[in-house]
Amino acid sequence: MPSRSSAFSCGALPSIGFAYQAFSDDRVVRAMLDQHSEDLELAKASGVLQAGSALRAWLADASGNLIDAATVLLPEVTGHELIDLLALGEETNEEGRPRSHAYTLYRSVVHTLGLRKGDHVTQRTVDLLNEAAAKWEMDQEVLEAVLTVATQPGHRLNADQLHRNLLSHSPAERDAWWGIDTYSMLNEASALHRLLRWAEQLPTPDRALYPPPQPHGCGGRGLS
């Protein structure tokens, strides 16, 4: 699966790469799910992979790339999030912090949001994103993930939902987090930066986006 991009040295040069890693991870996980179809059927009904499950044992030792692929695929196959199937969402260490494997699963939910089919992003997915921000301070990563899906029509977390969320806060509350969190993204290779660069390519509207100010005495509110 070739991927075309630009490489920068003294100038921009065309570059061709092969994005085989994620594709192969997807195929490996699909093969494991097919091999352990009985475990999946039980998980669909119970919402948890059984303790003696061979698939559960495999996932517990899987690499991060394979965990990412499973995070995307298992909600499609079972209707349940991977972190719930492994029942690790509330697992904590002696200090009350989530264990490292639970952290890996939360991080995977955040980082694979843009790879999911929109109809498999549920309220539970949203809850996990909120928990990732609260438990592991992944605020910036969650924001990046949400902005990545902003242009997807019908997506639960697209720009329409973001707009409703922002409108539900007062300007002061909104500026306290939205303004600060997005400020550093403007000059980075971020989802926000990509959206702005994309919008710059659109033609200027034929008419002004906002109506012209009315002169005093014609219904407008002027200074007294």
Side-chain angles (χ1 to χ4, degrees):
M1 298 183 68
S3 173
R4 186 183 182 95
S5 59
S6 295
F8 291 88
S9 179
C10 296
L13 300 173
S15 174
I16 301 295
F18 293 89
Y20 61 86
Q21 180 72 52
F23 177 74
S24 64
D25 294 336
D26 177 270
R27 303 313 299 175
V28 168
V29 172
R30 286 182 185 274
M32 290 300 296
L33 298 185
D34 290 342
Q35 184 177 339
H36 299 287
S37 57
E38 292 184 4
D39 290 344
L40 287 180
E41 289 302 318
L42 290 174
K44 284 182 185 179
S46 66
V48 177
L49 282 167
Q50 301 303 310
S53 163
L55 180 59
R56 181 188 178 98
W58 182 81
L59 287 168
D61 293 329
S63 66
N65 290 338
L66 295 176
I67 288 295
D68 286 347
T71 298
V72 173
L73 291 173
L74 279 168
E76 298 179 11
V77 175
T78 69
H80 302 286
E81 298 286 342
L82 173 59
I83 195 168
D84 295 329
L85 290 169
L86 296 178
L88 291 177
E90 301 301 324
E91 187 177 345
T92 59
N93 61 18
E94 292 77 6
E95 290 76 32
R97 298 282 288 180
R99 295 187 188 277
S100 59
H101 192 50
Y103 163 75
T104 299
L105 297 176
Y106 276 113
R107 184 176 182 274
S108 185
V109 172
V110 176
H111 286 207
T112 62
L113 180 65
L115 302 177
R116 293 189 181 210
K117 295 179 180 178
D119 55 349
H120 291 289
V121 175
T122 66
Q123 183 57 47
R124 178 56 179 157
T125 315
V126 176
D127 292 341
L128 289 174
L129 292 171
N130 289 329
E131 289 175 19
K135 287 184 176 183
W136 286 99
E137 301 176 353
M138 296 184 193
D139 307 68
Q140 284 293 119
E141 293 166 274
V142 171
L143 178 58
E144 173 76 11
V146 170
L147 290 174
T148 297
V149 301
T151 59
Q152 294 187 22
H155 197 286
R156 180 182 289 266
L157 294 172
N158 67 10
D160 292 328
Q161 173 58 27
L162 178 60
H163 178 65
R164 288 190 290 269
N165 188 6
L166 292 173
L167 280 181
S168 69
H169 298 276
S170 69
E173 292 173 335
R174 188 165 61 241
D175 290 346
W177 64 275
W178 172 256
I180 293 174
D181 287 350
T182 56
Y183 180 79
S184 63
M185 301 176 75
L186 294 175
N187 296 317
E188 298 176 354
S190 64
L192 178 60
H193 189 257
R194 290 195 299 273
L195 287 173
L196 293 174
R197 290 296 301 272
W198 173 65
E200 286 176 354
Q201 309 307 313
L202 298 178
T204 303
D206 294 333
R207 58 181 181 177
L209 296 177
Y210 300 97
Q214 294 179 319
H216 297 170
C218 296
R221 178 176 294 180
L223 296 174
S224 57

